[in-house]
Amino acid sequence: MARIDRLHQNSLVAAISAVTPSDVASLTSTSTSTGRYWKYYRKLPDIRYVVNLVGRLLAMSGPLLERMDDNGVWRFVESPPPATVGALAIVYDSPGGMEDVSRRFAQQYTVDGESFLTGYTKAGTTVLEALSTSELYGENKRFYKRESAFQTGRELPAGTKVSRVWRRHPEMSRVAETALEALVDDMETLMFLNDALRARVRSRLAAAGIVFLPNSLTVAAPSEVPDGSGAAIDPVTRQIIEAMAAAIDNPDSPEAAMPIVVRGPDDAGGRIKHITLDRMIDEHEMALRKELRQNILNGLDAPTEIASASSTMVNTNHWNESSVKMEMWEHTVAPIGDALWEALTQMVLVPWLKKTGVEGRYRWRVDRDSVQIRNNQDEKTRVAFDRALIGDSAARRRLGIPDTDKPSDVEYVRSVGRQMGVPELAFYQMDLTVDPAEVSSVRTGPVRSGDGRDLPGDTPNDEPQRGDPRVR
């Protein structure tokens, strides 16, 4: 049974266009944001967490096939034509794997707001890749792929097809829009605070401080062990330095736990001081870091509860976390998946159908039921199935059960027999040593009170009998 796509008909969130090497060269040379935002992905865990979550969710998904009917409405195709199955096999037989293409496409689209879907033939096999703006470039009418930021790219095979998929900027439609654009100042400030805090913690002078020893603890005779500078070191200073260094080199040794013994005048011990130059971590800086993180999380294309799942800024629990993730899948990740599969429709499906002579308009879209985040979705599916709102195949798909596990006709009859309490059906085509008719004579249900005998009812009387208080 065909069904109408429930969320959209033609509402893609991305623009898709085939590009040439000169187009890519023009885009990468005129754009000021090429590769700009990936440093925040590398250095800010909050950004990385959201970007990777988007990639993982899309990698878990799969496609569905739709066909336009005579009324111009796209409808789900239950039984895809063999030619469309062949086109899908081309996609999934790519050496890199469709899961990796989906993951990288979603990550690039989230960070840069665009991705280059690239297809070429290598050793007779179609290779599909999602390349970032930092990877792909065009030169001398050929496409090149950088293996690293510091190397010259390798030339892609002749006949390489590239589709640019991007979210149009509201000001300049040729420019890609990304949520990170409005967060640059906050992310730069947060990175500056993180670097300052890390430098302060790692500073040897600030952490270790200075040990002040009064001169009365030293002796006049110089040390016999030179330090290489030409100046003598007194024995007390040398002993303390050696003891502290030994404790650092061998922290598990018994000597590391022993105190350093020093002798001197009675009042000299009180003059030994440990002077620390460490500044206390400013509470205002920590509050500013928290505020910046919150601003960044609020600006991402994801629910704030998702972005701060590992922090205490937004409270989540096992009751609402899966619901929030499902919301993110429906409204953030699934539209990115539609853009990916529309690009694959134009790159693979349409040319393949023309080649095989299949009539009609077909397209791929992401299957929103292919990603099941366990919350109350299972219960909703069971209720819908019990009320005959969905069929067997739809229920299995929503519950994540493959069609290969569907019951056979005999198993279906037995399940109906168990539900109806009919032994002849429950044990259908089973080789039993007991007659199902005997099983049907066994009563089931709660234990009845009394001895279980069926006694005839008392004959009703129309007048009081002996023992009745009304009889005198």
Side-chain angles (χ1 to χ4, degrees):
M1 180 176 61
R3 64 181 176 89
I4 300 177
D5 188 278
R6 66 181 185 275
L7 289 183
H8 67 282
Q9 280 294 311
N10 297 292
S11 56
L12 281 177
V13 299
I16 303 172
S17 176
V19 293
T20 63
S22 59
D23 294 332
V24 176
S26 175
L27 289 169
T28 54
S29 62
T30 58
S31 176
T32 58
S33 61
T34 301
R36 176 185 183 185
Y37 304 112
W38 285 105
K39 69 175 182 178
Y40 306 119
Y41 169 83
R42 290 189 292 267
K43 290 192 174 184
L44 297 179
D46 297 307
I47 301 296
R48 181 184 287 263
Y49 174 79
V50 174
V51 172
N52 288 343
L53 179 60
V54 173
R56 288 195 301 269
L57 287 176
L58 190 58
M60 294 165 54
S61 67
L64 55 79
L65 182 68
E66 295 179 347
R67 186 180 189 275
M68 181 176 286
D69 62 14
D70 296 335
N71 297 322
V73 178
W74 289 100
R75 295 184 180 275
F76 171 67
V77 180
E78 285 280 0
S79 300
T84 62
V85 177
L88 191 62
I90 295 176
V91 173
Y92 275 92
D93 288 343
S94 176
M98 190 57 206
E99 292 78 8
D100 182 68
V101 174
S102 300
R103 178 182 61 83
R104 299 190 73 244
F105 178 87
Q107 291 172 320
Q108 294 162 12
Y109 195 88
T110 303
V111 174
D112 278 334
E114 63 180 320
S115 177
F116 290 111
L117 189 63
T118 307
Y120 55 89
T121 302
K122 183 178 181 181
T125 303
T126 300
V127 179
L128 295 174
E129 291 183 299
L131 302 181
S132 69
T133 56
S134 302
E135 284 182 291
L136 184 72
Y137 69 95
E139 189 175 278
N140 298 326
K141 298 182 180 181
R142 302 300 296 268
F143 290 109
Y144 293 85
K145 176 187 175 183
R146 292 187 179 92
E147 300 296 341
S148 69
F150 308 101
Q151 293 181 356
T152 303
R154 63 176 175 87
E155 182 180 332
L156 296 180
T160 297
K161 304 296 183 182
V162 177
S163 290
R164 183 194 182 206
V165 186
W166 78 102
R167 180 166 51 190
R168 294 180 186 269
H169 197 284
E171 182 182 12
M172 303 293 291
S173 60
R174 193 167 182 262
V175 178
E177 180 194 20
T178 172
L180 301 185
E181 178 185 7
L183 302 174
V184 170
D185 292 339
D186 287 340
M187 291 187 295
E188 287 288 346
T189 304
L190 181 59
M191 289 172 55
F192 175 79
L193 291 176
N194 289 342
D195 292 341
L197 179 61
R198 180 171 59 252
R200 187 181 308 167
V201 172
R202 297 178 62 180
S203 173
R204 180 178 181 183
L205 182 61
I210 299 174
V211 176
F212 173 77
L213 299 176
N215 289 332
S216 57
L217 295 178
T218 62
V219 295
S223 172
E224 298 178 357
V225 180
D227 64 352
S229 63
I233 301 178
D234 64 87
V236 175
T237 302
R238 177 169 58 85
Q239 180 184 1
I240 293 177
I241 292 176
E242 292 176 351
M244 295 174 67
I248 295 175
D249 295 337
N250 301 296
D252 297 331
S253 64
E255 291 80 1
M258 295 180 60
I260 301 173
V261 180
V262 179
R263 293 195 304 174
D266 295 341
D267 57 346
R271 298 191 180 97
I272 300 176
K273 297 180 180 180
H274 180 205
I275 303 174
T276 59
L277 305 179
D278 187 18
R279 292 183 299 155
M280 297 295 294
I281 297 178
D282 194 348
E283 295 182 359
H284 296 289
E285 291 184 7
M286 300 302 296
L288 179 58
R289 291 179 71 251
K290 183 176 181 180
E291 180 181 353
L292 289 171
R293 290 185 62 208
Q294 187 64 58
N295 291 343
I296 293 171
L297 299 179
N298 290 336
L300 295 175
D301 289 336
T304 306
E305 296 87 348
I306 285 290
S308 57
S310 60
S311 68
T312 58
M313 288 188 290
V314 179
N315 293 324
T316 57
N317 51 51
H318 67 283
W319 295 107
N320 64 0
E321 182 178 358
S322 56
S323 299
V324 173
K325 287 184 178 180
M326 199 65 190
E327 177 186 354
M328 180 179 181
W329 160 249
E330 290 281 359
H331 301 288
T332 301
V333 184
I336 299 177
D338 284 337
L340 170 63
W341 285 103
E342 174 61 26
L344 290 171
T345 297
Q346 299 179 15
M347 180 179 290
V348 179
L349 180 61
V350 172
W352 182 261
L353 295 182
K354 289 182 178 180
K355 179 180 178 181
T356 54
V358 177
E359 297 182 355
R361 293 186 60 184
Y362 291 88
R363 73 179 185 183
W364 283 321
R365 284 294 184 268
V366 69
D367 186 359
R368 283 167 164 76
D369 295 331
S370 60
V371 174
Q372 292 294 326
I373 301 174
R374 299 304 180 195
N375 51 357
N376 58 347
Q377 184 70 19
D378 292 355
E379 182 62 27
K380 290 180 180 178
T381 300
R382 285 190 286 268
V383 171
F385 179 77
D386 292 340
R387 297 183 180 180
L389 299 178
I390 58 176
D392 294 349
S393 59
R396 282 192 295 269
R397 185 172 62 250
R398 289 171 175 268
L399 295 173
I401 302 174
D403 283 340
T404 54
D405 292 339
K406 68 179 181 180
S408 63
D409 294 340
V410 174
E411 292 173 332
Y412 183 78
V413 171
R414 292 173 183 171
S415 65
V416 172
R418 290 193 297 269
Q419 296 176 13
M420 297 179 62
V422 180
E424 289 80 4
L425 297 180
F427 301 106
Y428 180 67
Q429 291 189 2
M430 293 181 65
D431 187 12
L432 301 176
T433 58
V434 62
D435 187 0
E438 298 179 4
V439 178
S440 62
S441 64
V442 179
R443 295 182 179 274
T444 59
V447 180
R448 299 168 58 184
S449 60
D451 56 9
R453 293 179 301 167
D454 292 328
L455 300 178
D458 294 336
T459 303
N461 296 302
D462 56 358
E463 60 182 13
Q465 301 297 312
R466 182 179 298 276
D468 193 294
R470 292 175 294 176
V471 178
R472 297 183 181 276

